[in-house]
Amino acid sequence: MYPLNRNRRLRSKESLRNLIRESSLHPNDFIAPLFVTEGSKIKEEISSMPNYYRLSLDNLKKEIKTLWSIGVQAVLIFVKVSDEFKDNIGTEAVNRNGLMQRAIKEIKNCVPEITIISDIALDPYSIYGHDGIVKNNRILNDETNDVLCEMALSHAEAGVDIVAPSDMMDGRVLSIRKALEKNNFDNTAIMSYGAKYASSFYGPFRNALESNPGFGDKKTYQMDFANRKEAIIEIGADIEEGADIIMIKPGIAYLDIVYEIKNSFNIPLAVYQVSGEYAMVKAASKMGYLDHNKIMMEQLISIKRAGANMIASYFAKDAIKLIS
Ligand code: PBG
């Protein structure tokens, strides 16, 4: 009761504020997403994601070394697939010599200590830009799961540490877990996008991979952003099916989900601060409306405060430079 309690007392100087701070960021918190493309010496800026690039394998290796040297513990790999390799059944996705599989091997050779996480979904490989096999304008569930299992196995063979299914098919975590166990990849972990919402925040990413859905949208598999309780059902299922880490995305607009899940389950929780969130900060700071670094740190700390154990963020490098 005032004046016995004056809440401002502990805010009076910086060192005191530092002492009582509840959340902070550490390089260990970050997962750096990376976009890989065919060719050599390529570093193409993504038009919708300023200062973020598609890298050919040679430049990818350089980037991995840099990330590891500043303390990044994990990278999340996406590939941009040329149109000629796209079809409706993920042929290229399961190619043992595909770009993803080669990228995993290269990273493993160059910095074996870093944790490699690979995206599992068909959209970059799909002529329709959908995460699953399409038939009569519908996205097939179980047929897609079969391909996702093959895809996960090919990544595991290449040496990936964690596979990250981002497709939102039902039952895919169990199918992948069983396939990995059966083939002696019992140590390959699954980071499942447990609650992935059908979000317009993914726009810039789809531009990066040229993977926009050719028809319709992703609402028959990704979650309705009006729902919170449904996230508990989704994530509960993934944990039962054998997920080791749960990912929630997008980030900032979905921190109520993060908080809810943190309190409902005891499992490591990752939050993906997605491409649209990155693009908004870039655009607003370019216009001079917002301070880039301050907004970046405020958003990242807010994600930690809500309960994230780790954050996949395009700001990983910038943020680590600021905190260290
Ligand atoms: C593909 C996938 C997407 C993202 C991660 N994996 C796009 C989508 O679902 O359409 C989005 C990431 C981002 O926006 O940064 N399954």
Side-chain angles (χ1 to χ4, degrees):
M1 193 217 309
Y2 174 82
L4 298 181
N5 295 324
R6 285 179 181 269
N7 294 329
R8 291 182 54 191
R9 248 179 236 137
L10 296 180
R11 293 177 203 143
S12 61
K13 60 195 287 198
E14 168 109 47
S15 54
L16 196 46
R17 292 192 295 272
N18 289 343
L19 208 57
I20 62 155
R21 182 161 303 129
E22 297 174 40
S23 315
S24 59
L25 288 166
H26 187 273
N28 288 354
D29 296 330
F30 290 98
I31 299 169
L34 291 169
F35 298 110
V36 188
T37 191
E38 289 287 4
S40 68
K41 297 199 172 64
I42 292 175
K43 185 180 174 186
E44 295 170 337
E45 189 169 28
I46 299 158
S47 58
S48 51
M49 299 176 70
N51 206 28
Y52 224 80
Y53 301 87
R54 285 184 286 254
L55 305 172
S56 51
L57 290 177
D58 46 349
N59 281 328
L60 175 74
K61 285 194 281 188
K62 280 190 207 153
E63 184 66 11
I64 298 275
K65 282 185 191 151
T66 307
L67 290 169
W68 180 248
S69 74
I70 62 169
V72 171
Q73 303 296 309
V75 288
L76 174 58
I77 308 298
F78 297 96
V79 290
K80 179 175 176 291
V81 181
S82 332
D83 283 344
E84 56 192 299
F85 294 128
K86 295 187 183 186
D87 61 20
N88 186 30
I89 53 168
T91 306
E92 182 63 13
V94 305
N95 177 358
R96 260 57 183 173
N97 200 29
L99 184 55
M100 175 66 94
Q101 291 78 356
R102 277 180 283 135
I104 294 167
K105 283 182 209 153
E106 295 272 6
I107 300 170
K108 200 92 202 162
N109 278 332
C110 124
V111 186
E113 303 92 337
I114 204 164
T115 292
I116 311 172
I117 312 172
S118 62
D119 186 64
I120 302 282
L122 293 186
D123 51 324
Y125 302 93
S126 162
I127 38 171
Y128 300 112
H130 274 291
D131 291 32
I133 298 171
V134 178
K135 195 174 174 188
N136 301 331
N137 279 4
R138 292 184 53 212
I139 317 303
L140 304 181
N141 193 88
D142 299 6
E143 292 81 350
T144 298
N145 281 346
D146 293 341
V147 184
L148 298 179
C149 287
E150 280 306 309
M151 192 176 174
L153 283 177
S154 73
H155 296 185
E157 272 171 33
V160 86
D161 299 292
I162 304 179
V163 289
S166 68
D167 54 285
M168 291 298 279
M169 296 301 120
D170 288 325
R172 90 280 204 216
V173 173
L174 182 61
S175 305
I176 292 172
R177 183 75 271 159
K178 279 183 171 167
L180 290 171
E181 289 288 327
K182 198 173 147 204
N183 290 276
N184 296 323
F185 293 115
D186 41 287
N187 260 332
T188 308
I190 300 178
M191 172 190 275
S192 126
Y193 288 67
K196 174 169 178 177
Y197 287 89
S199 170
S200 297
F201 282 108
Y202 309 148
F205 172 99
R206 293 178 189 167
N207 170 263
L209 296 189
E210 290 172 10
S211 61
N212 254 303
F215 68 88
D217 51 40
K218 298 193 174 185
K219 289 181 184 167
T220 66
Y221 44 106
Q222 298 179 352
M223 286 172 59
D224 181 346
F225 56 72
N227 298 350
R228 174 153 51 91
K229 295 291 180 194
E230 193 186 343
I232 301 179
I233 300 176
E234 269 289 351
I235 287 173
D238 284 3
I239 294 173
E240 265 179 36
E241 290 179 29
D244 302 282
I245 301 171
I246 289 293
M247 170 103 93
I248 293 175
K249 77 191 258 196
I252 282 294
Y254 293 78
L255 295 186
D256 57 328
I257 314 296
V258 176
Y259 184 71
E260 177 93 47
I261 295 303
K262 189 70 193 174
N263 290 332
S264 305
F265 300 102
N266 296 314
I267 189 162
L269 188 56
V271 171
Y272 199 149
Q273 183 191 41
V274 300
S275 57
E277 305 180 61
Y278 175 85
M280 289 200 308
V281 175
K282 289 291 173 193
S285 57
K286 189 174 173 205
M287 293 297 286
Y289 299 157
L290 292 171
D291 180 310
H292 181 277
N293 287 352
K294 286 184 177 157
I295 287 291
M296 170 180 83
M297 293 310 269
E298 185 172 335
Q299 297 210 345
L300 291 167
I301 294 263
S302 298
I303 293 171
K304 275 292 287 287
R305 188 193 65 229
N309 300 101
M310 55 200 112
I311 308 173
S313 172
Y314 303 102
F315 288 123
K317 218 158 105 179
D318 293 346
I320 288 173
K321 279 186 189 148
L322 266 189
I323 56 185
S324 35

PDB file of all heavy atoms in Angstrom, residues 12 23 26 36 61 91 99 102 110 124 126 158 171 180 202 233 249-250 263 268 281 285 287 291 295 307 322:
ATOM      1  N   SER A  12      14.754   3.233 -10.046  1.00  0.00           N
ATOM      2  CA  SER A  12      15.409   4.541  -9.956  1.00  0.00           C
ATOM      3  C   SER A  12      16.757   4.617 -10.661  1.00  0.00           C
ATOM      4  O   SER A  12      17.200   5.701 -11.009  1.00  0.00           O
ATOM      5  CB  SER A  12      15.552   4.963  -8.497  1.00  0.00           C
ATOM      6  OG  SER A  12      16.356   4.016  -7.821  1.00  0.00           O
ATOM      7  N   SER A  23      13.506 -11.116 -17.413  1.00  0.00           N
ATOM      8  CA  SER A  23      13.805 -11.837 -18.659  1.00  0.00           C
ATOM      9  C   SER A  23      14.991 -11.194 -19.341  1.00  0.00           C
ATOM     10  O   SER A  23      15.140  -9.971 -19.295  1.00  0.00           O
ATOM     11  CB  SER A  23      12.637 -11.779 -19.637  1.00  0.00           C
ATOM     12  OG  SER A  23      11.427 -12.027 -18.996  1.00  0.00           O
ATOM     13  N   HIS A  26      20.101 -14.176 -24.454  1.00  0.00           N
ATOM     14  CA  HIS A  26      21.450 -14.742 -24.481  1.00  0.00           C
ATOM     15  C   HIS A  26      21.640 -15.323 -25.882  1.00  0.00           C
ATOM     16  O   HIS A  26      20.657 -15.770 -26.495  1.00  0.00           O
ATOM     17  CB  HIS A  26      21.532 -15.841 -23.405  1.00  0.00           C
ATOM     18  CG  HIS A  26      22.898 -16.389 -23.207  1.00  0.00           C
ATOM     19  ND1 HIS A  26      23.390 -17.430 -23.968  1.00  0.00           N
ATOM     20  CD2 HIS A  26      23.888 -16.036 -22.344  1.00  0.00           C
ATOM     21  CE1 HIS A  26      24.634 -17.692 -23.587  1.00  0.00           C
ATOM     22  NE2 HIS A  26      24.961 -16.866 -22.598  1.00  0.00           N
ATOM     23  N   VAL A  36      18.573 -21.262 -48.592  1.00  0.00           N
ATOM     24  CA  VAL A  36      19.626 -21.797 -49.451  1.00  0.00           C
ATOM     25  C   VAL A  36      19.128 -21.869 -50.891  1.00  0.00           C
ATOM     26  O   VAL A  36      17.970 -22.196 -51.139  1.00  0.00           O
ATOM     27  CB  VAL A  36      20.048 -23.203 -48.983  1.00  0.00           C
ATOM     28  CG1 VAL A  36      21.273 -23.671 -49.742  1.00  0.00           C
ATOM     29  CG2 VAL A  36      20.313 -23.221 -47.496  1.00  0.00           C
ATOM     30  N   LYS A  61      28.142 -21.888 -46.050  1.00  0.00           N
ATOM     31  CA  LYS A  61      29.180 -22.363 -45.124  1.00  0.00           C
ATOM     32  C   LYS A  61      29.842 -21.191 -44.395  1.00  0.00           C
ATOM     33  O   LYS A  61      30.063 -21.251 -43.191  1.00  0.00           O
ATOM     34  CB  LYS A  61      30.225 -23.195 -45.878  1.00  0.00           C
ATOM     35  CG  LYS A  61      29.695 -24.574 -46.240  1.00  0.00           C
ATOM     36  CD  LYS A  61      30.792 -25.503 -46.674  1.00  0.00           C
ATOM     37  CE  LYS A  61      31.182 -25.219 -48.110  1.00  0.00           C
ATOM     38  NZ  LYS A  61      32.123 -26.219 -48.650  1.00  0.00           N
ATOM     39  N   THR A  91       8.808 -35.144 -55.268  1.00  0.00           N
ATOM     40  CA  THR A  91       9.904 -35.983 -55.769  1.00  0.00           C
ATOM     41  C   THR A  91      11.261 -35.428 -55.323  1.00  0.00           C
ATOM     42  O   THR A  91      12.116 -36.158 -54.817  1.00  0.00           O
ATOM     43  CB  THR A  91       9.871 -36.047 -57.313  1.00  0.00           C
ATOM     44  OG1 THR A  91       8.561 -36.470 -57.706  1.00  0.00           O
ATOM     45  CG2 THR A  91      10.904 -37.017 -57.854  1.00  0.00           C
ATOM     46  N   LEU A  99      18.984 -30.270 -52.771  1.00  0.00           N
ATOM     47  CA  LEU A  99      19.675 -29.108 -52.191  1.00  0.00           C
ATOM     48  C   LEU A  99      19.677 -29.151 -50.659  1.00  0.00           C
ATOM     49  O   LEU A  99      20.702 -28.897 -50.021  1.00  0.00           O
ATOM     50  CB  LEU A  99      19.007 -27.823 -52.708  1.00  0.00           C
ATOM     51  CG  LEU A  99      19.643 -26.504 -52.296  1.00  0.00           C
ATOM     52  CD1 LEU A  99      21.120 -26.433 -52.674  1.00  0.00           C
ATOM     53  CD2 LEU A  99      18.878 -25.330 -52.920  1.00  0.00           C
ATOM     54  N   ARG A 102      22.085 -31.843 -49.439  1.00  0.00           N
ATOM     55  CA  ARG A 102      23.489 -31.406 -49.614  1.00  0.00           C
ATOM     56  C   ARG A 102      23.846 -30.320 -48.608  1.00  0.00           C
ATOM     57  O   ARG A 102      24.944 -30.300 -48.052  1.00  0.00           O
ATOM     58  CB  ARG A 102      23.703 -30.904 -51.050  1.00  0.00           C
ATOM     59  CG  ARG A 102      23.972 -32.037 -52.040  1.00  0.00           C
ATOM     60  CD  ARG A 102      24.185 -31.492 -53.431  1.00  0.00           C
ATOM     61  NE  ARG A 102      22.908 -31.132 -54.042  1.00  0.00           N
ATOM     62  CZ  ARG A 102      22.668 -30.009 -54.710  1.00  0.00           C
ATOM     63  NH1 ARG A 102      23.615 -29.111 -54.879  1.00  0.00           N
ATOM     64  NH2 ARG A 102      21.484 -29.780 -55.237  1.00  0.00           N
ATOM     65  N   CYS A 110      31.325 -28.707 -42.102  1.00  0.00           N
ATOM     66  CA  CYS A 110      32.065 -27.476 -41.834  1.00  0.00           C
ATOM     67  C   CYS A 110      31.998 -27.042 -40.374  1.00  0.00           C
ATOM     68  O   CYS A 110      33.002 -26.646 -39.814  1.00  0.00           O
ATOM     69  CB  CYS A 110      31.661 -26.453 -42.896  1.00  0.00           C
ATOM     70  SG  CYS A 110      31.025 -24.938 -42.441  1.00  0.00           S
ATOM     71  N   PRO A 124       7.866 -25.713 -50.704  1.00  0.00           N
ATOM     72  CA  PRO A 124       8.890 -25.213 -51.651  1.00  0.00           C
ATOM     73  C   PRO A 124       9.039 -26.110 -52.880  1.00  0.00           C
ATOM     74  O   PRO A 124       9.595 -25.693 -53.890  1.00  0.00           O
ATOM     75  CB  PRO A 124      10.191 -25.228 -50.835  1.00  0.00           C
ATOM     76  CG  PRO A 124       9.828 -25.586 -49.447  1.00  0.00           C
ATOM     77  CD  PRO A 124       8.463 -26.163 -49.437  1.00  0.00           C
ATOM     78  N   SER A 126       6.364 -27.795 -54.275  1.00  0.00           N
ATOM     79  CA  SER A 126       5.047 -28.057 -54.848  1.00  0.00           C
ATOM     80  C   SER A 126       4.697 -27.082 -55.974  1.00  0.00           C
ATOM     81  O   SER A 126       4.822 -25.865 -55.812  1.00  0.00           O
ATOM     82  CB  SER A 126       3.995 -27.928 -53.725  1.00  0.00           C
ATOM     83  OG  SER A 126       2.705 -27.766 -54.269  1.00  0.00           O
ATOM     84  N   ALA A 158      21.396 -37.520 -44.045  1.00  0.00           N
ATOM     85  CA  ALA A 158      22.383 -36.480 -44.359  1.00  0.00           C
ATOM     86  C   ALA A 158      23.041 -35.936 -43.092  1.00  0.00           C
ATOM     87  O   ALA A 158      24.054 -35.245 -43.169  1.00  0.00           O
ATOM     88  CB  ALA A 158      21.717 -35.353 -45.143  1.00  0.00           C
ATOM     89  N   GLY A 171      -1.264 -36.162 -37.615  1.00  0.00           N
ATOM     90  CA  GLY A 171      -0.568 -37.438 -37.415  1.00  0.00           C
ATOM     91  C   GLY A 171       0.839 -37.486 -37.964  1.00  0.00           C
ATOM     92  O   GLY A 171       1.492 -38.528 -37.919  1.00  0.00           O
ATOM     93  N   LEU A 180      11.590 -42.734 -38.180  1.00  0.00           N
ATOM     94  CA  LEU A 180      12.961 -42.501 -37.689  1.00  0.00           C
ATOM     95  C   LEU A 180      13.407 -43.661 -36.796  1.00  0.00           C
ATOM     96  O   LEU A 180      14.523 -44.176 -36.930  1.00  0.00           O
ATOM     97  CB  LEU A 180      13.029 -41.179 -36.910  1.00  0.00           C
ATOM     98  CG  LEU A 180      12.892 -39.885 -37.733  1.00  0.00           C
ATOM     99  CD1 LEU A 180      12.745 -38.676 -36.812  1.00  0.00           C
ATOM    100  CD2 LEU A 180      14.088 -39.692 -38.671  1.00  0.00           C
ATOM    101  N   TYR A 202       3.295 -14.539 -43.073  1.00  0.00           N
ATOM    102  CA  TYR A 202       4.269 -15.365 -43.816  1.00  0.00           C
ATOM    103  C   TYR A 202       4.542 -14.824 -45.223  1.00  0.00           C
ATOM    104  O   TYR A 202       5.334 -15.402 -45.956  1.00  0.00           O
ATOM    105  CB  TYR A 202       3.793 -16.822 -43.966  1.00  0.00           C
ATOM    106  CG  TYR A 202       3.351 -17.497 -42.681  1.00  0.00           C
ATOM    107  CD1 TYR A 202       2.334 -18.458 -42.693  1.00  0.00           C
ATOM    108  CD2 TYR A 202       3.951 -17.186 -41.466  1.00  0.00           C
ATOM    109  CE1 TYR A 202       1.917 -19.082 -41.521  1.00  0.00           C
ATOM    110  CE2 TYR A 202       3.527 -17.809 -40.284  1.00  0.00           C
ATOM    111  CZ  TYR A 202       2.511 -18.751 -40.321  1.00  0.00           C
ATOM    112  OH  TYR A 202       2.096 -19.355 -39.169  1.00  0.00           O
ATOM    113  N   ILE A 233      -5.127 -28.485 -27.979  1.00  0.00           N
ATOM    114  CA  ILE A 233      -5.436 -29.792 -28.582  1.00  0.00           C
ATOM    115  C   ILE A 233      -4.333 -30.179 -29.576  1.00  0.00           C
ATOM    116  O   ILE A 233      -3.798 -31.288 -29.531  1.00  0.00           O
ATOM    117  CB  ILE A 233      -6.806 -29.742 -29.307  1.00  0.00           C
ATOM    118  CG1 ILE A 233      -7.913 -29.394 -28.300  1.00  0.00           C
ATOM    119  CG2 ILE A 233      -7.088 -31.065 -30.021  1.00  0.00           C
ATOM    120  CD1 ILE A 233      -9.286 -29.216 -28.930  1.00  0.00           C
ATOM    121  N   LYS A 249       4.036 -20.341 -34.022  1.00  0.00           N
ATOM    122  CA  LYS A 249       4.265 -19.227 -34.928  1.00  0.00           C
ATOM    123  C   LYS A 249       2.972 -18.692 -35.487  1.00  0.00           C
ATOM    124  O   LYS A 249       2.012 -19.452 -35.569  1.00  0.00           O
ATOM    125  CB  LYS A 249       5.232 -19.643 -36.053  1.00  0.00           C
ATOM    126  CG  LYS A 249       4.599 -20.493 -37.149  1.00  0.00           C
ATOM    127  CD  LYS A 249       5.626 -21.079 -38.040  1.00  0.00           C
ATOM    128  CE  LYS A 249       5.718 -20.329 -39.342  1.00  0.00           C
ATOM    129  NZ  LYS A 249       6.442 -21.106 -40.356  1.00  0.00           N
ATOM    130  N   PRO A 250       2.916 -17.420 -35.844  1.00  0.00           N
ATOM    131  CA  PRO A 250       3.924 -16.371 -35.646  1.00  0.00           C
ATOM    132  C   PRO A 250       4.202 -16.063 -34.168  1.00  0.00           C
ATOM    133  O   PRO A 250       3.693 -16.750 -33.292  1.00  0.00           O
ATOM    134  CB  PRO A 250       3.293 -15.164 -36.336  1.00  0.00           C
ATOM    135  CG  PRO A 250       2.261 -15.707 -37.255  1.00  0.00           C
ATOM    136  CD  PRO A 250       1.742 -16.927 -36.574  1.00  0.00           C
ATOM    137  N   ASN A 263       2.198 -22.697 -19.790  1.00  0.00           N
ATOM    138  CA  ASN A 263       1.571 -23.106 -18.533  1.00  0.00           C
ATOM    139  C   ASN A 263       0.867 -24.461 -18.625  1.00  0.00           C
ATOM    140  O   ASN A 263       0.526 -25.041 -17.607  1.00  0.00           O
ATOM    141  CB  ASN A 263       0.559 -22.044 -18.087  1.00  0.00           C
ATOM    142  CG  ASN A 263       1.254 -20.777 -17.643  1.00  0.00           C
ATOM    143  OD1 ASN A 263       2.401 -20.832 -17.177  1.00  0.00           O
ATOM    144  ND2 ASN A 263       0.609 -19.644 -17.798  1.00  0.00           N
ATOM    145  N   PRO A 268      10.139 -28.148 -24.015  1.00  0.00           N
ATOM    146  CA  PRO A 268      10.833 -26.975 -24.552  1.00  0.00           C
ATOM    147  C   PRO A 268       9.990 -26.291 -25.643  1.00  0.00           C
ATOM    148  O   PRO A 268       9.414 -26.963 -26.497  1.00  0.00           O
ATOM    149  CB  PRO A 268      12.117 -27.561 -25.151  1.00  0.00           C
ATOM    150  CG  PRO A 268      12.336 -28.830 -24.400  1.00  0.00           C
ATOM    151  CD  PRO A 268      10.963 -29.363 -24.073  1.00  0.00           C
ATOM    152  N   VAL A 281       9.316  -4.360 -39.009  1.00  0.00           N
ATOM    153  CA  VAL A 281      10.320  -3.581 -38.273  1.00  0.00           C
ATOM    154  C   VAL A 281      11.251  -2.876 -39.259  1.00  0.00           C
ATOM    155  O   VAL A 281      11.590  -1.700 -39.092  1.00  0.00           O
ATOM    156  CB  VAL A 281      11.124  -4.490 -37.306  1.00  0.00           C
ATOM    157  CG1 VAL A 281      12.248  -3.699 -36.637  1.00  0.00           C
ATOM    158  CG2 VAL A 281      10.215  -5.110 -36.263  1.00  0.00           C
ATOM    159  N   SER A 285      11.282   1.201 -39.607  1.00  0.00           N
ATOM    160  CA  SER A 285      12.508   1.904 -39.212  1.00  0.00           C
ATOM    161  C   SER A 285      13.112   2.639 -40.404  1.00  0.00           C
ATOM    162  O   SER A 285      13.683   3.717 -40.261  1.00  0.00           O
ATOM    163  CB  SER A 285      13.509   0.959 -38.552  1.00  0.00           C
ATOM    164  OG  SER A 285      13.818  -0.109 -39.392  1.00  0.00           O
ATOM    165  N   MET A 287      11.429   4.096 -42.670  1.00  0.00           N
ATOM    166  CA  MET A 287      10.639   5.320 -42.786  1.00  0.00           C
ATOM    167  C   MET A 287      10.954   6.309 -41.664  1.00  0.00           C
ATOM    168  O   MET A 287      10.473   7.437 -41.686  1.00  0.00           O
ATOM    169  CB  MET A 287       9.140   4.983 -42.727  1.00  0.00           C
ATOM    170  CG  MET A 287       8.605   4.194 -43.898  1.00  0.00           C
ATOM    171  SD  MET A 287       8.738   5.070 -45.457  1.00  0.00           S
ATOM    172  CE  MET A 287       7.435   6.296 -45.265  1.00  0.00           C
ATOM    173  N   ASP A 291      12.495   3.034 -33.976  1.00  0.00           N
ATOM    174  CA  ASP A 291      13.922   2.789 -33.813  1.00  0.00           C
ATOM    175  C   ASP A 291      14.177   1.290 -33.975  1.00  0.00           C
ATOM    176  O   ASP A 291      13.740   0.471 -33.152  1.00  0.00           O
ATOM    177  CB  ASP A 291      14.362   3.262 -32.423  1.00  0.00           C
ATOM    178  CG  ASP A 291      15.849   3.032 -32.185  1.00  0.00           C
ATOM    179  OD1 ASP A 291      16.334   1.898 -32.414  1.00  0.00           O
ATOM    180  OD2 ASP A 291      16.529   3.992 -31.770  1.00  0.00           O
ATOM    181  N   ILE A 295      13.118  -1.519 -31.105  1.00  0.00           N
ATOM    182  CA  ILE A 295      11.913  -2.314 -31.374  1.00  0.00           C
ATOM    183  C   ILE A 295      12.260  -3.800 -31.454  1.00  0.00           C
ATOM    184  O   ILE A 295      11.560  -4.661 -30.920  1.00  0.00           O
ATOM    185  CB  ILE A 295      11.258  -1.862 -32.705  1.00  0.00           C
ATOM    186  CG1 ILE A 295      10.591  -0.505 -32.510  1.00  0.00           C
ATOM    187  CG2 ILE A 295      10.257  -2.877 -33.215  1.00  0.00           C
ATOM    188  CD1 ILE A 295       9.369  -0.551 -31.619  1.00  0.00           C
ATOM    189  N   GLY A 307       7.340 -16.777 -22.424  1.00  0.00           N
ATOM    190  CA  GLY A 307       7.624 -18.175 -22.092  1.00  0.00           C
ATOM    191  C   GLY A 307       8.452 -18.950 -23.095  1.00  0.00           C
ATOM    192  O   GLY A 307       8.647 -20.154 -22.919  1.00  0.00           O
ATOM    193  N   LEU A 322      24.180  -6.970 -30.537  1.00  0.00           N
ATOM    194  CA  LEU A 322      23.808  -5.924 -29.576  1.00  0.00           C
ATOM    195  C   LEU A 322      23.988  -6.364 -28.121  1.00  0.00           C
ATOM    196  O   LEU A 322      24.372  -5.559 -27.285  1.00  0.00           O
ATOM    197  CB  LEU A 322      22.331  -5.547 -29.767  1.00  0.00           C
ATOM    198  CG  LEU A 322      22.001  -4.372 -30.658  1.00  0.00           C
ATOM    199  CD1 LEU A 322      20.527  -4.038 -30.518  1.00  0.00           C
ATOM    200  CD2 LEU A 322      22.835  -3.144 -30.288  1.00  0.00           C
TER     201      LEU A 322
END
